[in-house]
Amino acid sequence: MNENRDIKTLQKKLAILADAAKYDASCSSSGGKRKRDVNGMGNSEGMGICHSYAPDGRCISLLKILLTNFCIYDCKFCINRVSSDVQRARFTPEEVIWLTLEFYRRNYIEGLFLSSGIIDSSDATMELLIRVARGLREVHKFNGYIHLKVVAGASQELIEEAGKWADRISANIEMPVQPDLDLLAPAKTIAAATQTMEQISDKVIETKDNLKSFKSTPQFAPAGQTTQMIVGATPSADLEILKTSESLYEKFSLRRVYYSAYSPIPHADAILPAHKPSLVRENRLYQADWLLRFYGFKAHELVNAATPNLSLDIDPKTSWALVHRENFPIDVNKAARASLLRIPGVGVKNVERIIQLRRFHKITLVDLQKMHIAISRAKYFVVTADHNPNIWMLDSESLSQRLKPPAQQLSLFDAPAASEL
Amino acid sequence: MIQVDFEKNFMSWRENARKFLADAIPPDQINWSQDELSLFTFDASSQDVKKPVSNNDFKVPPELISQFKTLSYARDEDRWNLMYKILFRLCYENTGLLSISIDPDINKAEKLQKSVRHDIHKMHAFVRFKKSFVDENEVYVAWHKPEHLIVRPGTEFFARRFGDKRWSIFTPDESAHWDLKKITYGAGMAQRDFQGVDDWDEIWKTYYKSIFNPARIKIKMMKSEMSPKYWSSMPETSLIRDLVRDAPKALQKMAENINTSAVVDLKLSLSELKSKSSSCQACPLYAKATQTVFGVGPENASIMIVGEQPGDQEDRTGNPFVGPAGEILSQALIQAGIKKESVYITNAVKHFKWVPHKNMRLHQKPSGPEMHACKPWLEAEIKKIKPQVIIALGTTAATAIIGKLPKIKDERGKIISSLACAPKVIISWHPSALLRAGNETESTEKMQQLVDDLKLALSAEE
Ligand code: SF4
Ligand code: SF4
């Protein structure tokens, strides 16, 4: 009977504290590597698993909740700010442990992503988060995935302790530049966030070095760190956003920067846009981010002072190719890897396939098609062993028109009728 | 045509394939399909078996073995034949065959393997255990319908992950059972025969509902990752239809709630702002108050003082800090050596909030949303005055200025220089805190601290 009542309160709190956490984009459980403890459950095998998908298309991999949505901060873009009249709740660390274990046991989740509003002080809040992670690992011998959000301004010792229990830790930068924060979250600074990131990355490097000499070095956030930026809440252009990402990747060896299109939240500030988030823009930022990380692009090649925003109609790689037509066509049978990576519609995997195949065989347009290369885009930019009749278009004015996807494709993002199901 | 009679698994196929390969029997001479067993009977003596065409000892790359293993789980009658065809061609036709991904056989094999791997991955993802008891032992049971024949390769994962408790996974083809030591396999089961209920399904559904953001709908993406063919055994999927149907309504509600803060045009001058504010209705406070009480003081003031909100007398006169709290502030300013006329004085909230109490209008603290609604006016005042120092009195003012709820006791008496609104910000007691102080000592102490903080502001400004 008693457990029954507890379950009801737990469910009520869960509704509030999951709702409060949904504006965080990251739900990834990749990069963890842990074997099950003989006395417990849970392991991570490197590749994360999405256990479900919400109708917003997002992967549900982790139990993503806040410990509490009480917060002493007043960040305007955040529904949990102190001046919001949102319904508040607060889990005890034991309740979070309970939820995590029951969810995990039923194979609903890969693990826990725990974050929190700031209560009392950064350190006091951080200690509570750590209590959850330590309890799961030490008492319950739980070896599923744990991602802890580092509360901005938490002390070095607590960051170190968090990394000891968690697979991944992250500190949110929130906004690409300081003036955006000044406007929306005056108590926060980019400098404080990057300082936390630096502390994390220093510790990650130190741990790696120590591991080389001492096998018994305790783990520290083996799945690395990530961060999140909200886009579209301020007028900051993609230029600022991508420059910031680029420098974060360089300085703190982040695994990922997550971009979260600003979602209108109940009772938002009047200066914030009330329309639906620009999912197309968010998508373009992810594509550009991908180009930075895996395709050898630099931010300034994609956006600059003259065109500070990515095109919404055309993907960033094709956009780049259109303005740099002098670099094309590229001969797929001869070009170096770095050049192949620049062909619109050709992904990293297919570049590898091309390099493999061309050792045995002269590559033709049909071969590219068979590799599932987006030939509709690529054909204008490549020379193949057979005649490619499309490259004469390369200098044509109308090429960019041809490369724009039909307008209706973008309306995929609009809410379809439920009858579609 | 050779009709092969074998147990449909990889090991048995391999044994047979090895023999055929050694005898160089071409793929089109072998029928691996058992469905036609009754039509053909194999009579080896009647076959014209070819001699081997090469001295090849039929070594194949180890990856191929594991790829074939994967392939053998595909729900595709042609898979055995396909595997043999690839093997044969590799040994007799082209040793480089495997890297020609555009070859039709290789291509088909790759596709099938991918599909099997995908299905195994989705099994790991979408199996939903339900707690049950068998002979008083806790057992977690699940029913899942995979696309391919993957019970064996697919369930080892669950032993690695959930090895500390017993579990059983049923599929229409076969079932797997973990007894804490090993997996054993048994008969399959139809979904209607599976009986599992679990209270936690409801908690999980609560989570699913709450984590969904109605501002973003991407049904296609969801369906491509979580194919409806798996939905029947996943409790949360029963919510999808309603969530999608209600999303526009939920969004609408969000949008209606959104305009709860004052809209301020920064191009206006300070006095224009003041007159604009007199018609503000951005929050409910305007309704019961007499008038807005905007800031007063010189536009070039280098010190700005921010209080909480107007009180009874301020509401009647239209000027800030003229009541009992204003009295205290005036005294404190004198003691600190600051001329009141040189300072810009305003409040975080511009309308008086009160409740009736015995013929009186009893002051009430403004709520968070009210402070939030009024903040654009305060921000506009700061932008126009551009003060060197802002003194925020009390928690409401301090929260509005520093963007964080402070503990006045701990955070007063310091210069905060990290904020964009002004080079220096100082937090102190609101004069009404002195009025409310429990005893003389406390109020004297707070007065002294207020004076000290004002002095600090004066020195900071210089
Ligand atoms: S500190 Fe975090 S939880 Fe608190 S208001 Fe800011 S963004 Fe929201
Ligand atoms: S209190 Fe402020 S926001 Fe509310 S109506 Fe008055 S001026 Fe407008």
Side-chain angles (χ1 to χ4, degrees):
Chain A
M1 231 37 252
N2 210 346
E3 161 146 334
N4 230 344
R5 208 180 49 235
D6 282 342
I7 262 200
K8 283 282 165 236
T9 12
L10 192 76
Q11 192 170 4
K12 273 193 200 129
K13 289 186 187 179
L14 178 63
I16 296 169
L17 293 169
D19 188 90
K22 73 179 166 206
Y23 303 100
D24 212 306
S26 131
C27 193
S28 154
S29 55
S30 57
K33 275 218 169 71
R34 274 175 213 269
K35 278 215 161 85
R36 183 173 70 87
D37 185 297
V38 280
N39 297 312
M41 69 169 159
N43 65 341
S44 306
E45 301 189 340
M47 182 180 54
I49 298 176
C50 292
H51 284 270
S52 193
Y53 288 82
D56 53 23
R58 292 211 244 197
C59 154
I60 301 178
S61 177
L62 302 171
L63 169 61
K64 180 164 64 173
I65 47 173
L66 299 192
L67 186 68
T68 176
N69 63 342
F70 285 101
C71 185
I72 57 172
Y73 278 74
D74 200 37
C75 309
K76 283 187 189 171
F77 53 81
C78 177
I79 190 171
N80 305 319
R81 60 168 194 273
V82 65
S83 64
S84 148
D85 58 356
V86 68
Q87 211 185 351
R88 310 273 175 176
R90 181 175 180 163
F91 279 132
T92 62
E94 290 67 35
E95 284 171 324
V96 176
I97 290 173
W98 183 28
L99 259 175
T100 308
L101 294 173
E102 298 290 350
F103 272 24
Y104 195 89
R105 174 65 76 192
R106 287 163 180 80
N107 203 40
Y108 301 156
I109 53 169
E110 283 295 285
L112 173 68
F113 177 6
L114 187 63
S115 162
S116 182
I118 302 174
I119 32 177
D120 290 331
S121 67
S122 298
D123 277 356
T125 310
M126 200 63 226
E127 271 169 15
L128 289 174
L129 299 185
I130 289 170
R131 242 174 75 192
V132 172
R134 194 179 47 213
L136 281 167
R137 295 272 194 248
E138 275 198 334
V139 181
H140 298 279
K141 306 292 174 202
F142 172 78
N143 272 350
Y145 196 86
I146 300 179
H147 178 169
L148 290 185
K149 182 74 74 186
V150 173
V151 182
S155 65
Q156 173 80 31
E157 299 88 274
L158 291 180
I159 292 175
E160 288 188 11
E161 164 130 43
K164 196 165 128 194
W165 309 114
D167 293 284
R168 168 169 285 177
I169 51 183
S170 61
N172 279 2
I173 189 144
E174 310 289 13
M175 296 282 153
V177 288
Q178 187 60 40
D180 289 353
L181 280 179
D182 292 342
L183 206 59
L184 299 177
K188 290 194 168 170
T189 59
I190 299 273
T194 50
Q195 193 196 339
T196 304
M197 287 182 204
E198 188 170 3
Q199 288 172 330
I200 297 172
S201 87
D202 286 353
K203 188 71 194 172
V204 168
I205 293 166
E206 185 193 311
T207 308
K208 271 207 192 110
D209 284 351
N210 286 346
L211 264 172
K212 280 181 210 145
S213 344
F214 314 102
K215 276 240 160 66
S216 60
T217 306
Q219 297 213 48
F220 182 84
Q225 66 165 328
T226 60
T227 193
Q228 166 168 298
M229 235 186 271
I230 296 168
V231 302
T234 61
S236 280
D238 296 344
L239 173 66
E240 271 106 45
I241 294 168
L242 290 172
K243 284 254 171 211
T244 299
S245 300
E246 189 171 58
S247 98
L248 293 178
Y249 282 128
E250 274 166 21
K251 286 192 198 136
F252 310 121
S253 41
L254 291 192
R255 291 292 168 91
R256 286 285 295 271
V257 174
Y258 287 92
Y259 305 94
S260 178
Y262 172 73
S263 278
I265 49 168
H267 308 292
D269 192 89
I271 64 165
L272 296 172
H275 51 69
K276 279 201 269 174
S278 172
L279 300 187
V280 182
R281 182 181 182 199
E282 184 189 285
N283 186 30
R284 292 285 179 251
L285 281 167
Y286 275 117
Q287 289 173 328
D289 186 89
W290 212 256
L291 294 179
L292 298 184
R293 286 188 293 150
F294 303 115
Y295 288 78
F297 278 84
K298 291 275 168 223
H300 66 80
E301 292 182 279
L302 302 169
V303 274
N304 52 46
T307 40
N309 284 303
L310 297 166
S311 160
L312 293 182
D313 308 337
I314 298 185
D315 69 273
K317 201 179 180 191
T318 309
S319 291
W320 179 84
L322 283 170
V323 244
H324 294 91
R325 298 191 202 185
E326 70 280 4
N327 297 344
F328 296 95
I330 285 172
D331 185 340
V332 293
N333 284 299
K334 293 198 191 108
R337 198 169 172 278
S339 306
L340 293 174
L341 282 168
R342 300 245 158 178
I343 307 171
V346 178
V348 175
K349 263 200 198 138
N350 277 319
V351 167
E352 297 313 326
R353 281 202 191 120
I354 289 173
I355 293 172
Q356 265 261 331
L357 188 61
R358 72 185 182 187
R359 281 189 277 161
F360 300 95
H361 171 100
K362 284 271 167 232
I363 296 175
T364 65
L365 209 54
V366 180
D367 293 337
L368 296 184
Q369 211 150 16
K370 284 191 188 152
M371 291 179 201
H372 300 290
I373 282 172
I375 210 82
S376 58
R377 257 176 294 155
K379 63 184 177 187
Y380 304 110
F381 301 96
V382 293
V383 172
T384 48
D386 56 343
H387 172 60
N388 178 0
N390 304 290
I391 38 174
W392 67 271
M393 283 288 305
L394 188 55
D395 294 318
S396 151
E397 295 272 322
S398 64
L399 182 56
S400 52
Q401 236 15 68
R402 282 175 185 256
L403 285 166
K404 271 186 196 156
Q408 110 226 35
Q409 206 167 322
L410 296 179
S411 67
L412 280 184
F413 298 109
D414 292 340
S419 62
E420 235 197 63
L421 298 169
Chain B
M1 179 68 98
I2 303 173
Q3 172 63 50
V4 197
D5 180 12
F6 74 117
E7 285 167 52
K8 284 187 163 179
N9 64 41
F10 177 72
M11 292 313 265
S12 171
W13 171 85
R14 181 154 95 167
E15 251 167 57
N16 284 281
R18 212 182 257 145
K19 276 197 321 253
F20 297 141
L21 197 63
D23 294 343
I25 300 179
D28 57 5
Q29 296 295 305
I30 308 174
N31 183 8
W32 294 88
S33 166
Q34 280 174 336
D35 298 345
E36 291 153 72
L37 199 59
S38 52
L39 299 179
F40 297 89
T41 32
F42 177 48
D43 177 5
S45 59
S46 71
Q47 296 292 317
D48 174 23
V49 177
K50 286 180 194 162
K51 290 281 159 276
V53 293
S54 109
N55 288 327
N56 195 328
D57 57 356
F58 309 122
K59 281 241 168 69
V60 296
E63 315 89 76
L64 187 69
I65 303 293
S66 83
Q67 286 172 12
F68 276 1
K69 247 189 202 157
T70 306
L71 205 51
S72 73
Y73 304 124
R75 200 186 291 277
D76 183 324
E77 272 308 317
D78 190 43
R79 65 193 185 281
W80 310 113
N81 176 42
L82 179 67
M83 283 154 65
Y84 184 71
K85 219 160 126 192
I86 291 171
L87 199 59
F88 185 87
R89 292 182 56 206
L90 182 69
C91 297
Y92 289 103
E93 279 175 22
N94 182 356
T95 47
L97 180 68
L98 297 180
S99 39
I100 305 180
S101 55
I102 51 170
D103 177 272
D105 290 335
I106 298 297
N107 194 280
K108 182 173 181 199
E110 269 181 12
K111 266 201 196 128
L112 270 179
Q113 275 176 64
K114 210 170 146 191
S115 173
V116 169
R117 279 197 304 266
H118 184 258
D119 197 37
I120 291 175
H121 182 72
K122 294 300 178 187
M123 177 186 234
H124 298 166
F126 298 153
V127 156
R128 296 285 181 265
F129 283 113
K130 293 171 195 291
K131 186 178 185 168
S132 72
F133 289 90
V134 175
D135 308 329
E136 297 188 7
N137 282 322
E138 210 173 289
V139 183
Y140 288 81
V141 296
W143 187 91
H144 176 80
K145 188 179 175 198
E147 187 182 337
H148 296 287
L149 303 158
I150 54 162
V151 168
R152 286 165 199 249
T155 50
E156 285 160 13
F157 164 85
F158 296 98
R160 291 197 296 277
R161 177 162 287 191
F162 300 110
D164 60 329
K165 293 268 168 79
R166 288 164 214 277
W167 52 257
S168 289
I169 296 170
F170 296 89
T171 78
D173 308 297
E174 199 176 15
S175 57
H177 311 270
W178 172 253
D179 64 1
L180 303 180
K181 287 197 188 66
K182 61 183 187 317
I183 305 178
T184 51
Y185 303 96
M189 186 191 272
Q191 187 168 24
R192 60 172 182 280
D193 298 328
F194 176 75
Q195 284 158 353
V197 276
D198 195 318
D199 291 346
W200 279 82
D201 283 355
E202 284 309 310
I203 318 269
W204 169 238
K205 279 157 79 174
T206 300
Y207 178 68
Y208 186 80
K209 215 184 320 188
S210 313
I211 202 74
F212 159 62
N213 183 354
R216 339 175 27 129
I217 296 272
K218 289 187 180 176
I219 302 285
K220 279 215 175 129
M221 167 110 99
M222 174 192 68
K223 280 190 178 167
S224 80
E225 296 291 348
M226 185 169 79
S227 163
K229 70 181 175 227
Y230 298 116
W231 285 15
S232 72
S233 53
M234 300 170 70
E236 68 272 28
T237 55
S238 65
L239 299 169
I240 293 172
R241 178 177 281 268
D242 287 357
L243 286 179
V244 174
R245 188 196 55 211
D246 297 340
K249 248 190 282 168
L251 262 189
Q252 180 74 29
K253 234 171 97 191
M254 280 161 114
E256 278 163 11
N257 276 328
I258 232 157
N259 261 338
T260 51
S261 78
V263 180
V264 172
D265 180 359
L266 284 173
K267 288 194 287 295
L268 300 179
S269 70
L270 189 64
S271 56
E272 285 168 325
L273 284 169
K274 183 170 183 161
S275 67
K276 266 272 178 218
S277 74
S278 65
S279 56
C280 178
Q281 303 190 346
C283 81
L285 292 189
Y286 75 93
K288 276 171 69 186
T290 316
Q291 55 187 313
T292 47
V293 178
F294 209 72
V296 295
E299 214 173 324
N300 62 358
S302 62
I303 297 181
M304 179 165 170
I305 293 179
V306 185
E308 183 184 71
Q309 64 164 342
D312 180 74
Q313 293 191 40
E314 287 83 2
D315 180 67
R316 291 174 207 275
T317 59
N319 286 314
F321 283 105
V322 294
E327 196 62 15
I328 294 173
L329 180 63
S330 300
Q331 280 177 31
L333 283 168
I334 292 168
Q335 288 187 36
I338 300 174
K339 284 204 196 73
K340 196 173 179 182
E341 313 78 62
S342 70
V343 178
Y344 187 88
I345 300 180
T346 191
N347 282 305
V349 173
K350 309 289 193 246
H351 272 117
F352 178 35
K353 183 178 186 180
W354 58 276
V355 284
H357 179 77
K358 300 185 193 155
N359 296 335
M360 271 174 46
R361 299 197 295 173
L362 192 68
H363 157 274
Q364 270 205 313
K365 194 179 159 61
S367 70
E370 287 152 2
M371 178 276 274
H372 185 77
C374 212
K375 205 149 127 187
W377 293 119
L378 176 63
E379 285 169 346
E381 286 176 293
I382 295 173
K383 288 221 172 77
K384 297 292 161 188
I385 307 288
K386 296 197 188 67
Q388 285 298 305
V389 192
I390 296 178
I391 305 159
L393 303 179
T395 49
T396 303
T399 307
I401 298 288
I402 69 170
K404 183 188 141 190
L405 183 77
K407 286 200 190 91
I408 307 280
K409 191 159 77 58
D410 303 334
E411 293 175 53
R412 59 152 288 279
K414 294 172 204 154
I415 294 172
I416 304 167
S417 50
S418 59
L419 298 169
C421 60
K424 283 156 188 161
V425 172
I426 293 168
I427 294 173
S428 194
W429 300 110
H430 193 278
S432 61
L434 278 64
L435 293 170
R436 282 198 309 269
N439 55 57
E440 193 74 11
T441 352
E442 190 191 332
S443 99
T444 325
E445 189 193 14
K446 283 188 172 160
M447 181 66 175
Q448 191 52 52
Q449 291 178 339
L450 177 58
V451 171
D452 290 347
D453 295 341
L454 291 172
K455 279 186 184 156
L456 185 64
L458 187 64
S459 67
E461 170 239 356
E462 279 155 1

